[in-house]
Amino acid sequence: MAEIKLDQVNKRFKKNWVVRDFTLTVADKEFVVLVGPSGCGKSTTLRMIAGLEEVTSGEISIGGRVVNHVPPKDRDIAMVFQSYALYPHMNVYKNMAFGLMNRGVPRDEIDRRVKQAAEILGISDLLQRRPAQLSGGQRQRVAMGRAIVRDPQAFLFDEPLSNLDAKLRVQMRAELAKLHERLQSTIVYVTHDQIEAMTLADRIVVMKDGKIMQVGPPLEVYERPANRFVAGFIGSPSMNFLDVRLVEEAGDLWVDGESFRLKVPRHRAPAFRGHVNRPVIFGIRPEDVKERPGDALPEGVEPLRAEVDVREPIGSEVIITATVGSHAFTARISPNVAVRVHDPIDLAVNMNKMHLFDPESEQALNGL
Amino acid sequence: MQITRTQSVLAHVTLIVSILVIAFPVFFALITSTHSFQESFSFPPKFHVGSHLLENYRTAWERVNLGRLLFNSTLISVAVSAGKILLSLLAAFAFTYFGDFRGKTTFFILILITHMLPLPIRIVPTFELVEDFGWMNTYYALTIPFFASATGTLLFRQFFLTVPNDLADAARMDGAGPMKFLWKILVPLSKTNMLALFMIEFIYMWNQYLWPLIVTHTDDMRVVQIGLKMLLAGEEQAAEWNVIMAGTILAMLPPLIILLILQGSFVKGFAMRQEK
């Protein structure tokens, strides 16, 4: 197992910079997830670590060894592909053994490792089958088995679950987490699914347009997004962004959207003082906008009256899109609240969880 | 799609008529090859099996040394088919997997152009080349000029393009070099294409007449198609259709056997691909 280090890595395809100034150290045994919309350079970054793409500039080292010019097979890493990339004409056993055979591992050692990996993954009775005879989930396991038998320094996963149906994806996600615990291996994992990122990662790397937007543990990224992009990308339904002004009145700061006003909690105010009387982007997550519980509101929770525009019951809760003046936002309310479309609704906004962003740089203003 | 009764009847009638039209000459050749010389000219033609079967076949076999010719034809057809498959595999591999080497497009277009030139157009320069090499009347002359195959290169290239890139990447991660990837992954996957190409090229080679005629001059180097022609023009007298048909039937056998052998795995190959 080993540490993976990327130092100022750049990648250019013809005239396009696909990855820019990527600097990251993945600690030994760490599970790091690269997440971002398609085309953000996350897969390219993974392929550069694998050695399948050359770096345009910068340095990649694995286990303290610079590998820029080391071919993939000598980097001692294994990769699981989105399409699984199983060899269609070989049975499961041979698919898993192929890499070891190429490395001249003795036959009985190959046999031992393949059988052990098959047991870990619960595919021991499938060893003689061909990929075409397997279900999606089984193929996925074989692809992982092919990586495990190599006992590599690190694992790379390129959207491994995106070809599975929703139910299987949840199951495999849990198994992946267990597998990581068991193997105690360094993992770099690419996905566009932020739930996968949140549930699996020790640390998340959010990318956009080839650049790192934020690196941190899942909850930290969720609670303290560094900029508007991260705030909007992580979390579902995504965070509300409202164009407002920050005003000061009687010693308190207020978020002023013309048609509504929300007081900034005292403990959050100092960080924002420099932006008084300027336009800002007010960010609040849907789960921090709920139905108003009663007349007495807890500290930092502000009332807001709005009109219901769209109502989407999902069982455990109802997601509504509401409007106040020219602003529209989503809120998550209890299914017990009887509201219909076009009804007015009294909401409570938990301003303790508010975010402010600079409208130009889109960076978070929070001095959290 | 639901097929109505009328459609089904129509389809069957069409198929049966087609089979009759296609099979009749073969059937007639078979019948003719069992009759005597006189009977083969009788009118109306006879449609029953005659009594001269063994005699006709023996005559055909002995008159033009048909055994040797069949051997030659089989040898060069197998060699050329195998050579074409090997060369076009390698060429297609280079075109598909070796990035952007210099002049890639030019080379590819050049190969395609050869596809557009039929053998008769190339025959004079190729003849001179073979003569300069001192290959006249040898198996080299009968095989090597046919090794390059635009059809094959195109066929394999198109197939390789459908092989997912991840497979090549996975093989690289698994420590397989380019040649290992070719032999261990691509070749097994190309089996159906190889069999198809083998069949097409075998029959193409089997039917060659002009080129073998001009590059060989001794009877032991001739091929079976020339043998048939020799049967036709062998004597001063009228053509002995019974003997010629016997020779023709014999000349049909090796491709037929190859077809029957390969058919099984050919169909299986297609079925496998359906499964995917």
Side-chain angles (χ1 to χ4, degrees), chain A residues 238-254:
Chain A
S238 90
M239 188 187 278
N240 296 300
F241 298 106
L242 309 175
D243 290 318
V244 299
R245 285 182 77 82
L246 195 62
V247 296
E248 185 168 9
E249 219 175 82
D252 277 324
L253 292 189
W254 295 79

Side-chain angles (χ1 to χ4, degrees), chain A residues 47 51 73 77 81 83 85-89 99 102-103 130 132 146 150, chain B residues 166-167 169-176 180 184-185 188-189 272 275-276:
Chain A
R47 292 170 59 81
K73 67 184 170 78
I77 43 182
F81 295 86
S83 63
L86 301 178
Y87 310 120
H89 59 295
N102 290 332
R103 284 177 174 76
R130 292 208 181 185
R146 191 166 63 177
R150 297 252 318 274
Chain B
D166 277 358
L167 220 53
D169 288 339
R172 277 173 79 191
M173 298 296 293
D174 268 343
K180 200 163 211 171
K184 293 270 175 158
I185 313 281
L189 290 178
M272 278 253 306
E275 212 178 291
K276 183 64 198 145

Side-chain angles (χ1 to χ4, degrees), chain A residues 223-236:
Chain A
E223 282 172 359
R224 282 176 250 167
N227 53 48
R228 184 183 163 161
F229 174 77
V230 175
F233 190 77
I234 302 291
S236 175

